[in-house]
Amino acid sequence: MGVPLLDLNAHHEPIQQEIMAALQQTFLSNAFILGQDVGKLEERIATYCRAKYGIGVTSGTDALLLSLMALGIGPGDEVITSPYSFFATAGVVSRLCAKPVFVDIDPSTYNIDPSKIECAVTPKTKAIIPVHLYGQCADMAPIMDIARRHNLSVVEDAAQAIGSEYRDGRRACSIGTVGCLSFFPSKNLGCLGDGGMVVTNDDDLAERMRILRVHGGHPKYYHKLIGGNFRLDTIQAAVLNVKLNYLDGWTKRRQENADRYRTLFRQNGLVEKGHVRLPETAYRDAGVRHHHIYNQFVLRVEQRDDLITHLKDKGIGAEIYYPIPFHLQECFRYLGYKEGDFIESERAAKETIAIPIYPELTSAQQTEVAEAIASFYV
Ligand SMILES: *Cc1c(COP(=O)(O)O)cnc(C)c1O
C-alpha cells in the first residue's frame, strides 16, 4: 500500500469547510495586511505558549532573523548554536554578519549539549540559540544559567516544538529571551504557505520587534531603526485561527502514534537486537503532558542508507533530518571547522531516519511501516 511521510489531504479533509469559510471571510474583508486575525492569533499563540507577547511574521526563518536583529546582533558578535538543525538556525546568524559558533549535541535527545556550551563562550558571545529539535525542548535550565552568568540572550528555535513542555512545565518560547515558531505546512501547526511568530515576555523587545516588522518605522515613515517587511499575512492567520483549535488533539494523536511505534519495534525484536534505537523522551518522567510533541519520530538505525532505499522501494515515506551538519556545509567552510569536530552531530547525520508520525496515521499504516523496517533486517 505504501505510507507517506506526511498526508496533508487527510489532515485538512475534516476541517476543509471551516478553512474555506475563513479564507472567504478574509477575501471579502480586503484586510490582507495585519488584519484582525493576525492580532487575534498573536494573543492566542502567546497564551498557548504561556508567554506575554506574540508577533506574527513571514516565516520561522524570519522569526529567527527578526529576533537577532532586535537583540542588536551584528558584525563581530558570536552566537552559539547546534550544528545539527535546519539550515535557517545558523543561516540567520551569518546573514547578520555575526559568527555562528557550534556546540555538539547530546546523542540521546539530538539537542545542544549544555555541558559543552560554557567552553565556547568568549567575550564576543552575545546569544545562544538552542533548538528544540523534533518537538522536544532542549535542556533549558543549564542553558539559562550559563546565559545569566555571561549576560547572553537566549533565542529558542521552537519551529518544531509549539507547545512542547520542559521538565518544569514551562512551554517552548516562554523560557528564553525570545522564542521562534514556524507555520510551514509540515510543522505541527502549519498554514497554507509560509508563516511564523516570535514570542516573548520582554516588553521592550516585543515593541522593537513590532517596529522592525514594518521596516523599523515608528511612527510610520519615521525611522530610528532599519527593519524589513516581516508581516504574517491575514489570510494565513485566519487559517491558523481555525487550525489552532485542533492542535492539542493532533499532538495527542502524534504521542499515541509514538507509543504505538515503541510497542511495535519492541514486539518485532528490532530494539532488542540493536537494529533500531527509539527516540528518548527526556521529560516524560517529570509528568508533563507535552513532553515531546513529535514533529518528527526519529530512529537511530543500522545500515541507514540501505534501509532508506528499501523503504522507498516499499513506498514508505522516510527522510533524513539532517544529512550534513552545519560545520561541514560548504558555505560555512570559512568558519574553519573540520570533520571530527562534532562527533555526535556527524554520527546522528549518518545514523538517523524520520518515519511517518502525522496525526492521521492509522495503526494499520504503522504496522506496515514497522513490518517494512523489520523485513530489511531479517
Ligand atoms: C522549519 C524550521 C525553521 C524555519 O522555518 P520556516 O518557516 O521554514 O522558515 C527553522 N528552524 C527549524 C529547526 C525548523 O525546523
Side-chain angles (χ1 to χ4, degrees):
M1 277 281 285
V3 182
L5 189 62
L6 183 67
D7 186 348
L8 286 179
N9 276 329
H11 190 56
H12 287 144
E13 200 273 328
I15 54 171
Q16 190 176 333
Q17 299 302 327
E18 264 188 284
I19 289 180
M20 289 302 189
L23 292 174
Q24 186 173 26
Q25 198 179 32
T26 310
F27 174 71
L28 293 174
S29 79
N30 290 317
F32 302 121
I33 304 296
L34 299 182
Q36 275 186 5
D37 266 297
V38 176
K40 182 178 164 194
L41 182 74
E42 290 173 342
E43 281 187 24
R44 293 183 69 200
I45 294 281
T47 304
Y48 191 78
C49 294
R50 300 175 185 152
K52 221 160 148 185
Y53 304 105
I55 298 157
V57 297
T58 9
S59 67
T61 304
D62 279 349
L64 289 163
L65 188 66
L66 179 63
S67 298
L68 296 183
M69 285 171 71
L71 291 167
I73 303 236
D77 295 337
E78 293 179 1
V79 176
I80 292 173
T81 192
S82 162
Y84 188 66
S85 176
F86 178 67
F87 182 76
T89 312
V92 292
V93 177
S94 287
R95 284 171 64 189
L96 294 172
C97 303
K99 182 180 169 190
V101 173
F102 302 124
V103 167
D104 210 358
I105 54 167
D106 175 336
S108 65
T109 60
Y110 307 103
N111 286 326
I112 195 166
D113 182 344
S115 72
K116 294 181 177 154
I117 291 177
E118 196 132 26
C119 46
V121 175
T122 76
K124 292 179 180 167
T125 310
K126 289 283 157 33
I128 308 172
I129 310 181
V131 183
H132 306 315
L133 204 66
Y134 306 144
Q136 176 166 242
C137 280
D139 193 1
M140 292 301 289
I143 293 171
M144 294 311 293
D145 180 56
I146 294 163
R148 248 185 310 272
R149 281 188 285 108
H150 296 276
N151 198 23
L152 311 175
S153 302
V154 175
V155 179
E156 296 176 61
D157 183 340
Q160 301 181 7
I162 186 167
S164 174
E165 288 167 13
Y166 186 51
R167 65 168 90 251
D168 58 10
R170 280 186 295 172
R171 287 194 166 178
C173 293
S174 73
I175 307 170
T177 318
V178 53
C180 301
L181 296 172
S182 164
F183 304 127
F184 186 80
S186 68
K187 311 292 174 164
N188 288 34
L189 181 65
C191 60
L192 309 181
D194 281 305
M197 195 167 288
V198 288
V199 173
T200 186
N201 284 311
D202 183 317
D203 301 2
D204 294 337
L205 190 64
E207 170 79 0
R208 209 150 52 243
M209 292 192 292
R210 256 182 219 290
I211 294 169
L212 286 170
R213 175 173 70 170
V214 287
H215 302 282
H218 182 68
K220 202 174 178 181
Y221 306 125
Y222 291 80
H223 293 257
K224 279 187 208 140
L225 299 168
I226 301 169
N229 175 356
F230 294 122
R231 296 181 294 253
L232 175 68
D233 284 334
T234 309
I235 207 153
Q236 300 297 357
V239 171
L240 289 163
N241 272 321
V242 171
K243 292 186 76 176
L244 182 56
N245 299 328
Y246 298 92
L247 181 58
D248 279 343
W250 291 330
T251 297
K252 189 158 168 278
R253 275 147 75 177
R254 284 175 183 270
Q255 292 176 329
E256 286 165 0
N257 292 346
D259 286 341
R260 200 174 294 123
Y261 271 140
R262 289 175 194 284
T263 307
L264 286 168
F265 286 115
R266 287 199 184 100
Q267 274 171 355
N268 64 20
L270 291 187
V271 172
E272 193 189 335
K273 292 189 192 112
H275 297 312
V276 162
R277 275 172 61 189
L278 296 166
E280 289 185 31
T281 47
Y283 315 119
R284 182 176 214 152
D285 291 344
V288 290
R289 191 153 62 104
H290 292 188
H291 53 88
H292 198 320
I293 61 154
Y294 294 103
N295 179 245
Q296 301 295 345
F297 190 84
V298 173
L299 302 172
R300 199 184 275 267
V301 297
E302 292 180 331
Q303 299 166 260
R304 195 269 314 268
D305 292 343
D306 291 341
L307 174 63
I308 296 235
T309 309
H310 172 83
L311 292 178
K312 294 257 148 90
D313 286 347
K314 291 190 170 294
I316 307 287
E319 269 293 342
I320 302 169
Y321 300 118
Y322 297 90
I324 319 235
F326 297 153
H327 67 290
L328 302 179
Q329 293 285 358
E330 204 172 318
C331 68
F332 290 134
R333 203 178 285 163
Y334 74 97
L335 294 170
Y337 292 109
K338 59 183 187 313
E339 192 150 5
D341 282 348
F342 304 106
I343 292 285
E344 293 303 343
S345 299
E346 291 169 28
R347 200 171 282 155
K350 289 192 184 105
E351 296 180 350
T352 58
I353 175 179
I355 58 174
I357 189 70
Y358 59 88
E360 298 75 23
L361 192 67
T362 64
S363 58
Q365 287 176 309
Q366 288 194 272
T367 303
E368 186 178 338
V369 173
E371 280 174 0
I373 296 176
S375 71
F376 173 73
Y377 292 107
V378 291

